[in-house]
């Protein structure tokens, strides 16, 4: 055995760090990682806002091209500016909006600023999918600085399920004068008893981790680091799940349209009267699709969630031997468009409703979006330059937004492969829908060609 060393001497081998120092080190590391995470979340939120912001020059002249405006640059550059500078630019914006002096083109024609340099990037909270051929108008700055007010929607996409409503909404959000709710509020079918004030100021629990975490104060996040490691993850989840995403109903400026889409409104009998009570001037958009294809798509969606459901063929008929169609099955019932339209025409004139072809939304998205923009009283900004056809998904996608390396396509839940359905069942369904389709063509004044 080695003799003991002299009193007060340190052992030759390095001792491990003391518990207190180790805990302080972990706390500092956790604080640093949390700060980086919060910064990342804020950066992600900024990236979902519109494309490059083009503001006004110091002399009050409008900025028509990238780099000319004082505020040229994306939302991250804007966020990096001091608050005083942001307020100054906002004041310039308000002064510009009051003046709105026309500018002259080469041909001598006087046009407003929007006519000269239309914005193509999506507004804050929109898809952000725009084209690089032009930049967002200065009003984007006011939205970034929480200007504007929350309004009840002036236009609603009321249906139909699996008709192409999500695609239409995402395409429309490219327009700088459209401010749309991303989620489906389901106010007029599920939450009407909460009142219009709640509808206007609606908020929703976020399902996105980064979006939720960005709303939590850094102080609360740092507080989680004081807990043992095993408890941190659980407490972080609880904190995120309790955070609310406010302002789901977007803020709008003068001249912008507030929109929402909930496809189940079209088949909800109370919805027409309720929307009419809110405003008789509400513009209604219905995206319709071949009812047979729509029913199969509806079934495919349900099948992806519940693989144990009966076959499409067995659900279609009350009695397959007699060939009696089961109209109580929602997948079949939704496609009887004429029946549902009758309820709407008791409260709204046909001219206040626009019927969009789900098939044309795939084959000619720019053409259908042109009709929608005309119907909403908007300038035709969304054109064929915004789209490309994705062969893998089988439908059009928006071209990549400014500052993004990827195009904007709908998620994996869209464009599912349909199961093989018995040809005789498909033919029987076509015969069933034919008289309803003909009546629908007559009511709308438009032949959608589903029986050709």
């Amino acid at each position: 055995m080695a003799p003991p060393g002299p009193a007060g001497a340190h052992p030759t081998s390095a001792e491990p760090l003391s518990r207190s120092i180790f805990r302080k080190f972990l706390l500092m590391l956790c604080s640093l990682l949390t700060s980086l995470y919060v910064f990342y979340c804020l950066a992600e939120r900024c990236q979902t806002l519109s494309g490059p912001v083009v503001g006004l020059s110091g002399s009050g002249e409008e900025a028509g091209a990238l780099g000319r405006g004082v505020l040229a640059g994306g939302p991250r550059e804007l966020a990096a500016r001091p608050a005083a500078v942001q307020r100054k630019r906002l004041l310039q914006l308000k002064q510009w909006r009051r003046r709105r002096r026309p500018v002259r083109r080469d041909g001598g024609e006087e046009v407003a600023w929007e006519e000269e340099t239309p914005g193509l990037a999506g507004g804050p909270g929109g898809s952000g999918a725009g084209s690089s051929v032009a930049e967002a108008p200065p009003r984007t700055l006011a939205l970034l600085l929480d200007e504007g007010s929350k309004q009840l929607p002036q236009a609603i996409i009321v249906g139909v399920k699996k008709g192409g409503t999500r695609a239409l909404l995402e395409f429309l959000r490219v327009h700088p004068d459209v401010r749309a709710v991303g989620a489906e509020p389901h106010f007029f079918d599920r939450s009407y008893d909460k009142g219009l004030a709640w509808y206007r100021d609606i908020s929703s629990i976020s399902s996105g981790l980064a979006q939720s975490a960005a709303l939590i104060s850094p102080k609360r996040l740092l507080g989680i680091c004081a807990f043992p490691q095993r408890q941190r993850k659980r407490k972080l989840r609880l904190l995120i799940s309790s955070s609310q995403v406010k302002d789901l109903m977007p803020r709008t400026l003068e001249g912008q349209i507030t929109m929402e889409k909930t496809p189940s409104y079209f088949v909800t009998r109370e919805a027409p009267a309720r929307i009419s009570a809110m405003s008789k001037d509400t513009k209604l958009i219905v995206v319709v699709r071949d009812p047979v294809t729509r029913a199969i798509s509806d079934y495919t969606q349900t099948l992806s969630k519940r693989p144990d459901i009966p076959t499409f063929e067995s659900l279609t008929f009350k009695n397959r031997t007699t060939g009696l169609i089961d109209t109580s099955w929602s997948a079949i019932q939704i496609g009887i468009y004429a029946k549902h339209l009758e309820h709407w025409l008791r409260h709204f004139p046909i001219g206040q409703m626009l019927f969009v072809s789900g098939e044309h939304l795939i084959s000619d998205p720019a053409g259908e979006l042109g009709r929608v923009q005309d119907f909403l009283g908007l300038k035709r900004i969304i054109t064929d330059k915004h789209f490309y056809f994705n062969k893998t998904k089988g439908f059009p996608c928006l071209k990549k937004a400014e500052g993004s390396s990827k195009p904007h396509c709908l998620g994996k839940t869209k464009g599912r492969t349909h199961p093989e359905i018995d040809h005789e069942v498909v033919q029987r369904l076509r015969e069933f829908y034919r008289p309803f389709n003909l009546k629908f063509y007559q009511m709308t004044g438009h032949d959608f060609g589903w029986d050709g």
Side-chain angles (χ1 to χ4, degrees):
M1 180 180 294
H10 295 283
T12 56
S13 60
E15 291 183 352
L17 292 173
S18 67
R19 286 181 177 275
S20 60
I21 296 178
F22 185 65
R23 286 178 180 173
K24 290 180 181 178
F25 173 76
L26 281 181
L27 181 61
M28 291 176 61
L29 180 61
C30 187
S31 301
L32 176 62
L33 291 175
T34 304
S35 300
L36 290 174
Y37 179 67
V38 172
F39 176 78
Y40 169 78
C41 294
L42 291 173
E44 286 295 313
R45 290 193 73 207
C46 288
Q47 194 173 10
T48 63
L49 298 176
S50 67
V53 178
V54 180
L56 304 176
S57 65
S59 62
E61 296 177 352
E62 42 90 25
L66 179 61
R68 286 176 58 191
V70 174
L71 295 176
R76 295 186 184 183
E77 289 81 0
L78 176 62
R81 295 178 179 272
V85 176
Q86 294 183 6
R87 287 194 294 270
K88 179 180 178 182
R89 296 298 176 260
L90 179 57
L91 180 60
Q92 289 180 338
L93 172 64
K94 290 179 178 178
Q95 292 172 346
W96 172 85
R97 292 185 70 234
R98 282 197 295 267
R99 289 195 299 267
R100 272 185 95 79
R101 294 184 301 181
V103 295
R104 289 187 177 274
R105 283 180 176 165
D106 295 338
E109 179 186 2
E110 288 194 342
V111 292
W113 186 88
E114 289 89 347
E115 296 284 342
E116 182 69 14
T117 55
L120 301 180
S127 66
S131 170
S132 59
V133 298
E135 307 303 330
R139 69 177 59 196
T140 308
L141 173 61
L143 293 171
L144 287 171
L145 298 180
D146 287 332
E147 283 294 295
S149 59
K150 300 174 82 169
Q151 305 290 335
L152 292 169
Q154 295 90 46
I156 303 177
I157 301 175
V158 297
V160 298
K161 180 183 179 184
K162 307 309 295 179
T165 58
R166 172 56 58 184
L168 177 61
L169 184 72
E170 291 304 310
F171 295 163
L172 277 174
R173 290 171 77 174
V174 173
H175 200 293
D177 287 336
V178 172
R179 300 282 293 144
V181 181
E184 295 175 4
H186 283 281
F187 173 69
F188 293 103
D189 59 349
R190 300 179 187 172
S191 304
Y192 189 68
D193 59 321
K194 295 182 180 179
L196 290 173
W198 177 88
Y199 180 47
R200 185 189 58 222
D201 300 322
I202 189 173
S203 60
S204 173
I205 298 295
S206 170
S207 59
L209 178 65
Q211 190 177 19
S212 296
L215 296 171
I216 303 171
S217 67
K219 184 177 180 181
R220 296 186 69 187
L221 283 173
L222 290 174
I224 295 178
C225 295
F227 291 93
Q229 184 175 2
R230 275 184 281 182
Q231 297 182 26
R232 288 175 197 158
K233 190 173 183 180
R234 182 172 62 86
K235 293 213 173 267
L236 182 61
R237 284 179 176 174
L238 290 173
L239 191 60
I240 289 175
S241 65
S242 65
S243 65
Q244 286 191 321
V245 178
K246 297 180 180 179
D247 295 336
L248 182 62
M249 189 67 77
R251 295 177 180 274
T252 55
L253 300 174
E254 183 182 353
Q256 291 184 318
I257 293 177
T258 302
M259 289 189 66
E260 71 117 311
K261 78 109 178 168
T262 304
S264 56
Y265 289 165
F266 189 66
V267 297
T268 302
R269 296 197 61 164
E270 299 83 4
R274 291 172 175 177
I275 295 176
S276 178
M278 176 187 71
S279 174
K280 295 184 181 297
D281 297 325
T282 306
K283 294 185 177 181
L284 307 171
I285 300 176
V286 186
V287 187
V288 288
R289 183 183 184 186
D290 181 337
V292 177
T293 309
R294 197 221 65 81
I296 297 173
S297 180
D298 198 337
Y299 172 80
T300 305
Q301 182 183 52
T302 305
L303 184 65
S304 68
K305 299 175 183 178
R306 296 167 49 200
D308 58 337
I309 62 171
T311 64
F312 181 86
E313 290 84 352
S314 62
L315 291 171
T316 299
F317 299 100
K318 284 184 177 180
N319 187 323
R320 189 165 181 178
T321 305
T322 61
L324 183 63
I325 302 293
D326 187 359
T327 56
S328 65
W329 184 29
S330 63
I332 300 295
Q333 188 185 62
I334 291 172
I336 309 175
Y337 302 138
K339 176 183 175 183
H340 303 300
L341 182 57
E342 288 176 349
H343 301 308
W344 290 90
L345 294 182
R346 293 171 189 164
H347 301 275
F348 292 94
I350 194 69
Q352 214 163 306
M353 304 182 72
L354 179 70
F355 299 89
V356 176
S357 167
E359 288 81 12
H360 290 172
L361 206 55
I362 295 174
S363 62
D364 183 21
E368 286 300 287
L369 264 293
R371 293 180 58 236
V372 176
Q373 290 173 95
D374 291 345
F375 174 71
L376 296 176
L378 300 171
K379 174 178 169 54
R380 285 201 177 195
I381 287 178
I382 307 171
T383 65
D384 55 1
K385 294 180 181 179
H386 287 83
F387 303 99
Y388 79 98
F389 190 81
N390 188 308
K391 294 182 180 179
T392 303
K393 287 184 172 290
F395 52 74
C397 298
L398 290 164
K399 291 181 180 178
K400 63 181 181 180
E402 193 72 30
S404 173
S405 60
K406 295 182 179 180
H408 180 72
C409 283
L410 298 180
K412 60 182 180 180
T413 60
K414 306 298 181 182
R416 296 185 183 95
T417 302
H418 292 179
E420 288 291 333
I421 306 298
D422 189 320
H423 180 70
E424 291 184 7
V425 175
V426 173
Q427 286 301 114
R428 178 67 188 91
L429 275 176
R430 295 207 177 279
E431 292 172 7
F432 167 77
Y433 278 122
R434 185 171 290 110
F436 296 109
N437 290 344
L438 293 175
K439 184 176 180 182
F440 185 67
Y441 300 164
Q442 200 172 32
M443 295 170 75
T444 60
H446 185 79
D447 185 345
F448 291 88
W450 299 323
D451 306 289

